[in-house]
Amino acid sequence: MSKTNQMPSGLVNDTINVKLKLAALWAAVMFCYVYGDYIEVYVPGVMSNAMAVSANSEGLQTKFFAVAFLMSIPSVMVFLSLVLKPSVNRWLNIIIPALFVLLLIGLNLETTWIFYLYLTALEIILSLATIWFAWRWPKNDAS
């Protein structure tokens, strides 16, 4: 059931279900990851280094799979945030973003490119917001 709040302006502010908030946060963070990777292609040297890599380079398949797997998690979490039972949903939306924050801090803060630092900061904020909303998941009044 949706609760509504009357704002001083007279406009109605519907309460948004926590599952929708979580799914929206995952979608937002996913777009930041995609934009960061897309813009990174234009950083001098990135494309020339990529072109110099041989398709037979040791571990390339494994590295690409690891990145693909890691970046598929936010996409899957958009869906899972909407369909999982609250108890599992809540914990996944606390643990997974926490792990992503650790990865972001460990991997992305060594760059000097401002766009990447900005997107990393935004990704961390969105991940922390995901943890916040999951942690504060509303409880039944009866419990």
Side-chain angles (χ1 to χ4, degrees), residues 30-72:
M30 183 178 61
F31 277 114
C32 289
Y33 294 143
V34 170
Y35 290 141
D37 291 343
Y38 177 77
I39 296 168
E40 185 182 29
V41 169
Y42 296 101
V43 170
V46 169
M47 279 304 271
S48 60
N49 288 341
M51 299 301 275
V53 173
S54 167
N56 296 326
S57 292
E58 188 177 321
L60 191 60
Q61 289 266 355
T62 303
K63 187 175 182 179
F64 282 169
F65 174 76
V67 171
F69 177 78
L70 190 64
M71 291 297 96
S72 69

Side-chain angles (χ1 to χ4, degrees), residues 67-81:
V67 171
F69 177 78
L70 190 64
M71 291 297 96
S72 69
I73 293 172
S75 302
V76 172
M77 284 306 296
V78 171
F79 174 71
L80 292 179
S81 294

Side-chain angles (χ1 to χ4, degrees), residues 5-13:
N5 301 316
Q6 187 72 28
M7 303 302 292
S9 64
L11 299 174
V12 173
N13 185 29

